[in-house]
Amino acid sequence: MRKARSELIRSKKMKRLTFALLFLLAASLSFAEFNDGKITKFIEFDMTSSTNKGIERHKTLYSGEVGLVSRWAEGLLGLQAYENCFDFTVNARGWLPFASWNFETARIAIGLGGIYHYQRYKKISSEHDFIFETLFRYKSDSGTTVSFSGGYAGKATQIDALKDFVPYIYDKYFYAVMQVNKVWSNGMELYLEHGLHDLYRYPLFASPHYLVGLAYNFDFGLRISSDVSVRIVDGYTTPPYIDSLLVKFATRFSF
């Protein structure tokens, strides 16, 4: 009975978060896009294939995201599922008006943000990740974007077999992510990322991932992309060991 009540409360919380993001999307006409004054809302669908590495080995993962990018705020909600695993991520960011500089062909801004991630492995474990981050972004009118985020993360993990004895296992650590993106006038796009977490994976410190991707942007808002991500356990302290190798294909529509 107590377990059913807990699941009901969790379901209600997720519905409230979903409603809040949808409301933010509907109200986003009051915002202007980060650089050029346009309004950008998007919906994306992804399919990720894993190899023989890591806990996600030989899996096909499906995910979807909705979000917006504006001049002063950004928001994203994402869901991922495969077999007995479910992930939920919400990310909110804001740029500080007193730390925003406009140049003739570019803009630089500093901001603050937060991330909440929930992961559930059926009959195995559940995980809650909380991140507070500081942000830096440079974006030029020619299509080059350089972003850096860094901050403090907390993790609360519950192991089903141990929860009667140890309700949660807590961890705290620092993290950082750097992204470089280039979009050419013909629609081609190259993007790179190096960081300690991605949208649905939040390992403890010193297991960085490296991502490289290509995309094509159509004039009517459609974006098709593919990228490869490699995660290396203890990547800064020991000889490289590849723990995860993922290939993702995505379709995004912006409006």
Side-chain angles (χ1 to χ4, degrees):
M1 184 72 178
R2 184 177 300 174
K3 183 178 179 181
R5 184 179 179 183
S6 177
E7 291 293 334
L8 180 61
I9 293 173
R10 186 179 295 116
S11 176
K12 288 182 178 179
K13 288 182 178 179
M14 290 183 62
K15 288 179 180 179
R16 289 172 184 170
L17 285 170
T18 303
F19 175 79
L21 184 63
L22 292 175
F23 176 79
L24 184 61
L25 286 169
S28 64
L29 290 175
S30 61
F31 295 105
E33 200 269 339
F34 183 81
N35 225 40
D36 58 15
K38 294 181 180 179
I39 300 164
T40 302
K41 295 175 282 186
F42 67 86
I43 181 169
E44 179 172 319
F45 297 99
D46 317 311
M47 183 180 73
T48 303
S49 177
S50 63
T51 60
N52 62 342
K53 299 291 185 179
I55 193 171
E56 297 170 326
R57 65 184 63 187
H58 302 304
K59 304 293 184 184
T60 299
L61 297 74
Y62 299 95
S63 56
E65 298 83 38
V66 293
L68 66 87
V69 179
S70 69
R71 183 166 180 81
W72 298 110
E74 298 180 3
L76 181 144
L77 183 150
L79 302 172
Q80 177 182 263
Y82 67 97
E83 293 190 16
N84 295 323
C85 184
F86 170 81
D87 287 88
F88 169 82
T89 300
V90 60
N91 184 341
R93 294 174 166 182
W95 305 102
L96 302 173
F98 57 84
S100 175
W101 299 274
N102 292 287
F103 302 93
E104 185 175 348
T105 60
R107 181 190 177 201
I108 293 176
I110 296 173
L112 301 173
I115 299 173
Y116 168 71
H117 167 251
Y118 171 77
Q119 183 182 76
R120 173 63 181 166
Y121 276 97
K122 187 178 180 180
K123 298 182 179 180
I124 299 177
S125 66
S126 59
E127 176 181 299
H128 302 268
D129 295 284
F130 306 89
I131 292 179
F132 174 77
E133 57 183 355
T134 56
L135 314 166
F136 168 87
R137 180 174 296 167
Y138 163 87
K139 184 175 181 180
S140 71
D141 293 341
S142 62
T144 299
T145 304
V146 179
S147 300
F148 177 83
S149 62
Y152 190 70
K155 182 187 294 289
T157 305
Q158 184 179 76
I159 309 299
D160 290 6
L162 301 176
K163 64 182 180 180
D164 292 335
F165 308 97
V166 183
Y168 283 97
I169 301 170
Y170 297 99
D171 295 284
K172 299 177 183 179
Y173 58 97
F174 294 97
Y175 95 97
V177 175
M178 183 176 181
Q179 299 168 319
V180 180
N181 179 279
K182 172 65 178 179
V183 181
W184 285 271
S185 58
N186 62 0
M188 290 299 299
E189 179 180 351
L190 171 68
Y191 54 99
L192 309 170
E193 181 175 294
H194 171 56
L196 298 179
H197 76 81
D198 60 27
L199 189 60
Y200 298 112
R201 296 162 192 86
Y202 295 79
L204 295 179
F205 182 76
S207 295
H209 80 277
Y210 302 82
L211 181 148
V212 58
L214 291 171
Y216 186 81
N217 297 270
F218 295 89
D219 292 336
F220 54 89
L222 181 66
R223 177 181 182 266
I224 299 174
S225 64
S226 178
D227 55 63
V228 178
S229 175
V230 177
R231 184 173 299 281
I232 299 178
V233 173
D234 295 326
Y236 301 133
T237 57
T238 63
Y241 170 74
I242 297 177
D243 176 67
S244 175
L245 178 59
L246 303 172
V247 180
K248 185 175 79 172
F249 302 92
T251 302
R252 176 189 298 177
F253 183 71
S254 300
F255 54 98

